[in-house]
Amino acid sequence: MNGGDEVVAAPVGPPQPLEWKFSQVFGERTAGEEVQEVDIISAIEFDRTGDHLATGDRGGRVVLFERTDTKDHGSSRRDLERTDYPIGRHPEFRYKTEFQSHEPEFDYLKSLEIEEKINKIRWCQTANGALFLLSTNDKTIKFWKVQEKKIKKISDMNLDPLKAVANGSVASSSNSVCSRSYLANGGYPDRSSNDFSFPPGGIPSLRLPMVTTHETNLMARCRRVYAHAHDYHINSISNNSDGETFISADDLRINLWNLEISSQSFNIVDVKPANMEDLTEVITSAEFHPTHCNTLAYSSSKGSIRLIDLRQSALCDSHAKLFEEQEAPGSRSFFTEIIASISDIKFGQDGRYILSRDYMTLKLWDINMDSGPVSTFQVHEYLRPKLCDLYENDSIFDKFECCLSGDGLRVATGSYSNLFRVFGCAPGTTEATTLEASKNPMRRQVQTPSRPSRSLSSSITRVVRRGAESPGVDANGNSFDFTTKLLHLAWHPTEHSIACAAANSLYMYYA
């Protein structure tokens, strides 16, 4: 090649839309089977490696699943290359264990029932082969350690093998030298009795009992309980990248805890006004930055996200950055503030972007650009004419979660009729997929994705709105069942795999 030649890179187009396939279902309902309230899943979370998945339910239980497809075929790359299986097999999970995390309680001071429902689960760093996780209900956070314990039994006793008990417990043997019996008055019984005859071949050698481990059992142990720190319902917990601390957030306050200290926490955000009649907004979600241990974000019921820096002051009432979208003039209505309320925020793995979910849309924010979201994805635009009905039946207050793929190129969130939406957020992509939580996820899919359009609220060319023409959906919303809602879902940290909850069933999909 000549020194003057330049290498021109071929233009790289947006990634192709993913084709989703059904992988697994746990707790599948038969047709007509009634769902028990306590069995409805209320939280889903993958651990950092993606090898474990935890779900919490309204009955206060935490169920753990572990990945099997990596274990069965060796963990090293060389082992994988020896097998016929490609490295990119889709994740397969199996049931691991479950435990009762929370019980119903009663607050006698406030005459208030505290339900056992698990609001959030967060995985902590593993150590010595044990799994650690935080779980919370409305008031109390618990720190759990799940570990394989070996069941120890005493065996190899000096017993008659014919009379020994199979499981290794002590059996009574009249042929053993040690089992000489005595009469009530202290004398010996008749020596000619068969009960006291030595075994053929003389006295056996003395064998000491041995402790053996027959099997392992998974034990869940509550290491710490973090209680009495919240006057209002806890909506978020998030552990810090330092591995030592975590935050818990309720409607008006965010507290910072050390994992090792359950007796005290530090209040770092307090939005409670002196007079509660002056209250205009509440905290709805909070999350630590994935790599910067001093940075966290929290969202509010007014649709804003605040980024705070713990190095600025002990009480972080002033934010470092504020992200909110300016309201279009003349668009205000009775429902404006209700549908603007953010129900969930998530950082991308690199910490550059924040994904937020309000009732109508998903928004992607760049933390370096606080003028507005870089992308807006329409999820419930077709429901705008039905906001009155949704307000009447309280559906307008449903809190949908959101998640990002590990590579940050796609986002997902749930909807009604057990549907969930996946959007591509790479520049130039038009990916907008509607999937159903069933064994045939693409049943509702229409092949022509909706075209992106420029956002009216911003002059930045990168900002797009997509998904408004919700594919495969009746514009009137008639085909939708508001009682079946897909609120909780999680994206595998390294692969295109989504776990989502439809009532008491956990569905898993891969692409």
Side-chain angles (χ1 to χ4, degrees), residues 424-437:
C425 46
T429 183
T430 59
E431 184 174 353
T433 312
T434 300
L435 301 155
E436 184 180 55

Side-chain angles (χ1 to χ4, degrees), residues 19-38:
E19 188 178 327
W20 292 91
K21 297 184 176 72
F22 169 78
S23 173
Q24 286 171 286
V25 59
F26 295 95
E28 187 182 17
R29 293 199 311 280
T30 56
E33 184 186 343
E34 202 169 316
V35 181
Q36 299 297 315
E37 176 84 7
V38 292

Side-chain angles (χ1 to χ4, degrees), residues 455-508:
S455 167
L456 303 174
S457 62
S458 173
S459 60
I460 298 164
T461 53
R462 287 178 59 212
V463 178
V464 294
R465 290 183 183 271
R466 188 158 63 256
E469 307 96 36
S470 191
V473 163
D474 176 10
N476 302 320
N478 292 330
S479 63
F480 277 78
D481 177 6
F482 296 111
T483 60
T484 55
K485 51 195 83 165
L486 199 150
L487 302 175
H488 312 286
L489 77 173
W491 201 303
H492 191 282
T494 58
E495 300 180 21
H496 289 314
S497 174
I498 291 178
C500 57
N504 65 329
S505 304
L506 176 69
Y507 284 92
M508 306 192 73

